[in-house]
Amino acid sequence: MKPSEMRPPLGPDSWRLVGLDIDGTLMHWGGEISDPIVDAVERARMCRNHVVLATGRNVLGMLPAAQRLGIRRGWAVCSNGAVTVRLNPASPGGYDIVEKVTFNPRAALELVREELPDAFYAVEDLGVGFLVNREFPHGELVGRQRVVTDFDELCHDEATRVVIRAPGVDVSHFDDLVHRIGLNEVTYAVGYSAWLDLTPPGVTKASALEALRRQLGVYPDHTVAVGDGNNDIDMLRWAGWSAAMGTAPEHVKAAADEVVGSVEEDGILTVLDRLIDPDRLAVL
């Protein structure tokens, strides 16, 4: 727990920075964000809270969630921290890229390919979609998929994010694999299925949110985060107060200060309601 007595008091000019995961946190697994959550997010934004979507999705995948929540202006952290955008309806596509961190994926791709030659591989093409070795199943990637015939084409340029999908591979085996082969030049997160996200070394949702916190002048202890997955662990540890969803794995829950209800129960409302009611802010 992070002791509340160490937090500066919220004055009339104080703001909070609130990092919210999308899938499994704000959004039900069927792809819906409920009306009560939409309403709560809107009211939280009206109460001096910078509500920042912090997601593994690319920018194109983040935008529909922002639109559903009515967030037309503000910030979002995408691609697990590699891309930070400022939402702006006057800009082409509705956003401006304010930070982009890249890496050369060749070494990591070649290591994983030796172990999983039949896997699906995708390299993010920022603002467009992905370069892929073969098309991913419908709905798994957002944006245009351009199939390349030569694997070397996936490795030739700097990238913000790489996705590796290995159908039929057990998640625990997948996790053991990435530890065994030693992906030292990247940051990685294993998903609920046999899905691996690679980002530049040291880049996480937390690193992007910390840069944004400094830019916005928010006190470190006036930060809040809610998430449910492996790629949320650093963000949950970073925040002055954090909550894990009830559907999160136990090791993700252990990284948070609090466990709230499941995504099906709209458990995130527990945290959002506190951000709306000034009398309950002391709980955070």
Side-chain angles (χ1 to χ4, degrees):
M1 296 291 183
K2 306 173 181 76
S4 58
E5 63 269 21
M6 295 179 62
R7 301 186 193 100
L10 278 173
D13 297 321
S14 297
W15 283 75
R16 285 187 179 272
L17 176 61
V18 184
L20 303 179
D21 173 53
I22 295 177
D23 297 284
T25 300
L26 286 163
M27 181 178 287
H28 296 192
W29 294 116
E32 302 86 21
I33 299 177
S34 72
D35 289 341
I37 287 179
V38 172
D39 178 65
V41 167
E42 180 181 4
R43 288 187 291 140
R45 295 180 68 227
M46 295 173 64
C47 294
R48 305 187 73 80
N49 294 294
H50 296 290
V51 175
V52 179
L53 299 181
T55 179
R57 294 180 173 213
N58 63 2
V59 177
L60 299 180
M62 173 277 301
L63 288 173
Q67 291 166 1
R68 167 64 176 142
L69 293 164
I71 304 176
R72 300 174 68 244
R73 297 184 183 276
W75 289 265
V77 168
C78 305
S79 303
N80 284 324
V83 179
T84 300
V85 302
R86 185 165 190 171
L87 295 164
N88 179 2
S91 297
Y95 65 91
D96 300 305
I97 296 172
V98 296
E99 185 68 32
K100 178 180 72 172
V101 187
T102 63
F103 71 113
N104 190 304
R106 179 178 297 277
L109 281 171
E110 290 178 347
L111 274 175
V112 178
R113 190 190 185 200
E114 287 181 9
E115 300 285 342
L116 300 170
D118 298 324
F120 292 75
Y121 295 88
V123 176
E124 184 172 286
D125 186 3
L126 186 56
V128 177
F130 293 86
L131 302 180
V132 298
N133 66 327
R134 52 184 168 139
E135 284 200 23
F136 277 55
H138 178 72
E140 291 195 350
L141 297 177
V142 178
R144 184 167 68 92
Q145 296 186 44
R146 182 164 71 85
V147 179
V148 297
T149 55
D150 186 349
F151 194 83
D152 190 63
E153 290 185 63
L154 295 178
C155 313
H156 82 285
D157 206 356
E158 296 291 298
T160 49
R161 176 184 172 219
V162 169
V163 176
I164 301 164
R165 182 184 186 276
V169 176
D170 182 76
V171 175
S172 60
H173 172 74
F174 210 48
D175 198 34
D176 291 341
L177 169 66
V178 296
H179 281 91
R180 177 167 53 80
I181 64 178
L183 294 178
N184 300 318
E185 300 303 318
V186 297
T187 300
Y188 64 87
V190 177
Y192 285 112
S193 60
W195 180 286
L196 179 67
D197 270 323
L198 306 181
T199 48
V203 169
T204 64
K205 294 181 182 183
S207 66
L209 287 168
E210 173 61 15
L212 193 54
R213 181 197 69 77
R214 292 173 180 270
Q215 178 183 335
L216 296 174
V218 175
Y219 286 119
D221 288 329
H222 290 173
T223 54
V224 179
V226 188
D228 74 309
N230 290 324
N231 60 340
D232 295 316
I233 290 175
D234 287 337
M235 176 176 75
L236 296 175
R237 291 172 174 162
W238 160 85
W241 186 268
S242 61
M245 303 298 292
T247 42
E250 290 303 315
H251 64 282
V252 176
K253 293 177 181 177
D257 295 295
E258 178 183 13
V259 177
V260 296
S262 70
V263 64
E264 292 82 6
E265 300 166 330
D266 285 348
I268 194 174
L269 290 175
T270 300
V271 178
L272 293 175
D273 286 347
R274 293 181 193 146
L275 296 169
I276 296 163
D277 183 355
D279 294 333
R280 301 179 66 193
L281 282 176
V283 179
L284 297 176

